C-alpha cells in the first residue's frame, strides 16, 4: 500500500496523559497536513509542513499541541495534558507540488479521552 | 479566513435519480475546489476537483460546476447507485499567495441512495 498511513488507528487515554500520533505520507510528497475531524463535521485544518518546515498553524492548535517532521518524511503530532475536548479523529494528508497539490488522506487516528 | 457553507446536510434519493449538493465560499482568492467522499469509518477520498479557470468538469456520472462571480460550486451525481451512499464534503483552498495550502471544508452532506 503506497497511500498515506497513520499509527495508531485508535487511541484511548485518560485526561491529562500525553499522546503521540505518527503519519507516513505518500513517498516523495513534500507537503504534509494535519486535520482534526469531529463527529458530523468536516475536517478542520491544524497545521502543515513543506518538507521539514512547519509553514502554517491554525489557531485551533493550542500550546498543548506540537507537530514535527524532522527529516521531511514522516510526521508526529503530540498532544500534551489531553482534555476530553481533544477527542476526535486526527487525519493526516499529503500532497506534491509536482502533481497538482491534490491532498490524499490517511485513515486517521481516532482519539478518545476519558 | 475562508468560510465554506454546504447544503443540504442530508439528502435522500431513489436509485437512478440525480443528486445535487451545493457549496458557497467567502474568500474570492480561493482557486481550487475539491470534493471528497467519506464512507463510515474510512478516510476522505477525492472524487473530483475543479480549478477557478474552469466552469465545469465531468467524470463519468459525476460533475462539478463553479460560479466564481457568485462564489458557489456544486456537485452533481447522475444515475445514483447504492454505493454512492456516503458523506460528501466540499472544500476550498486559497491561492498560494492568498493564504497557503490548507483546505477549508464544508460541514458535509449525508447522501442516502434508496433502492
Amino acid at each position: 500500500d503506497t497511500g498515506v498511513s497513520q499509527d495508531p488507528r485508535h487511541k484511548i487515554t485518560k485526561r491529562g496523559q500525553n499522546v503521540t500520533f505518527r503519519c507516513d505520507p505518500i513517498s516523495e510528497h513534500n507537503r504534509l497536513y494535519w486535520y482534526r475531524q469531529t463527529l458530523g463535521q468536516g475536517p478542520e485544518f491544524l497545521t502543515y509542513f513543506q518538507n521539514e518546515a512547519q509553514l502554517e498553524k491554525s489557531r485551533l492548535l493550542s500550546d498543548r499541541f506540537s507537530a514535527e517532521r524532522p527529516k521531511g518524511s514522516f510526521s508526529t503530532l503530540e498532544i500534551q495534558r489531553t482534555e476530553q475536548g481533544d477527542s476526535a479523529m486526527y487525519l493526516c494528508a499529503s500532497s506534491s507540488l509536482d502533481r497538482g497539490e491534490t491532498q490524499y488522506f490517511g485513515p486517521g487516528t481516532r482519539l478518545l479521552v476519558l | 479566513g475562508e468560510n465554506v457553507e454546504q447544503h443540504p446536510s442530508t439528502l435522500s434519493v431513489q436509485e437512478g435519480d440525480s443528486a445535487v449538493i451545493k457549496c458557497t465560499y467567502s474568500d474570492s482568492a480561493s482557486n481550487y475546489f475539491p470534493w471528497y467522499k467519506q464512507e463510515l469509518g474510512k478516510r476522505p477520498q477525492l472524487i473530483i476537483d475543479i480549478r477557478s479557470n474552469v466552469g465545469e468538469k465531468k467524470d463519468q456520472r459525476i460533475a462539478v460546476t463553479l460560479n466564481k462571480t457568485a462564489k458557489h460550486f456544486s456537485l452533481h451525481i447522475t444515475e445514483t447507485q447504492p454505493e454512492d451512499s456516503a458523506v460528501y464534503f466540499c472544500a476550498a483552498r486559497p491561492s498560494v499567495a492568498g493564504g497557503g495550502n490548507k483546505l477549508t471544508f464544508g460541514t458535509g452532506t449525508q447522501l442516502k441512495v434508496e433502492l
Side-chain angles (χ1 to χ4, degrees):
Chain A
D1 186 353
T2 57
V4 179
S5 61
Q6 292 185 245
D7 184 69
R9 296 290 308 277
H10 301 89
K11 180 70 178 179
I12 300 174
T13 191
K14 293 182 179 178
R15 189 176 51 186
Q17 297 295 304
N18 299 342
V19 294
T20 300
F21 309 143
R22 177 181 169 124
C23 170
D24 286 88
I26 292 172
S27 179
E28 297 179 357
H29 273 194
N30 55 349
R31 287 184 170 164
L32 186 148
Y33 311 79
W34 286 98
Y35 292 85
R36 181 170 67 188
Q37 185 176 27
T38 54
L39 200 61
Q41 300 296 316
E44 294 177 293
F45 171 79
L46 294 178
T47 188
Y48 99 93
F49 294 83
Q50 180 165 308
N51 300 315
E52 65 275 9
Q54 188 173 19
L55 295 187
E56 189 172 353
K57 292 169 63 173
S58 165
R59 287 172 295 176
L60 290 175
L61 214 65
S62 77
D63 56 6
R64 296 184 298 106
F65 288 70
S66 63
E68 294 183 339
R69 194 184 183 197
K71 298 182 180 178
S73 56
F74 72 92
S75 175
T76 58
L77 177 68
E78 181 183 19
I79 310 174
Q80 296 183 325
R81 306 181 303 281
T82 53
E83 302 173 356
Q84 288 185 324
D86 296 332
S87 297
M89 174 76 85
Y90 290 84
L91 291 163
C92 176
S94 69
S95 71
S96 168
L97 268 169
D98 300 333
R99 298 193 178 183
E101 286 283 15
T102 298
Q103 293 187 22
Y104 296 92
F105 282 84
T109 295
R110 185 169 294 283
L111 173 66
L112 177 61
V113 182
L114 301 175
Chain B
E2 177 65 276
N3 182 51
V4 177
E5 295 190 354
Q6 183 171 348
H7 301 280
S9 57
T10 61
L11 179 59
S12 184
V13 299
Q14 293 293 313
E15 183 180 9
D17 287 350
S18 295
V20 180
I21 302 170
K22 299 182 179 181
C23 289
T24 60
Y25 62 99
S26 61
D27 187 350
S28 57
S30 289
N31 66 354
Y32 173 67
F33 307 92
W35 286 87
Y36 286 84
K37 175 183 180 182
Q38 188 174 30
E39 297 178 60
L40 191 62
K42 297 193 175 180
R43 73 187 75 193
Q45 292 198 304
L46 180 77
I47 55 171
I48 195 166
D49 56 13
I50 190 167
R51 298 180 190 274
S52 58
N53 58 346
V54 175
E56 183 176 359
K57 183 176 177 181
K58 288 186 73 173
D59 182 3
Q60 299 182 354
R61 298 187 295 110
I62 295 173
V64 57
T65 59
L66 170 65
N67 183 326
K68 285 179 58 180
T69 303
K71 289 189 281 188
H72 67 71
F73 56 113
S74 300
L75 177 71
H76 304 252
I77 306 174
T78 59
E79 301 172 22
T80 52
Q81 301 168 2
E83 51 265 39
D84 294 330
S85 296
V87 179
Y88 291 81
F89 292 99
C90 63
R93 189 192 72 198
S95 63
V96 174
N101 291 280
K102 64 184 179 187
L103 293 175
T104 299
F105 284 83
T107 50
T109 296
Q110 174 75 61
L111 173 65
K112 184 177 181 181
V113 179
E114 298 177 335
L115 297 172

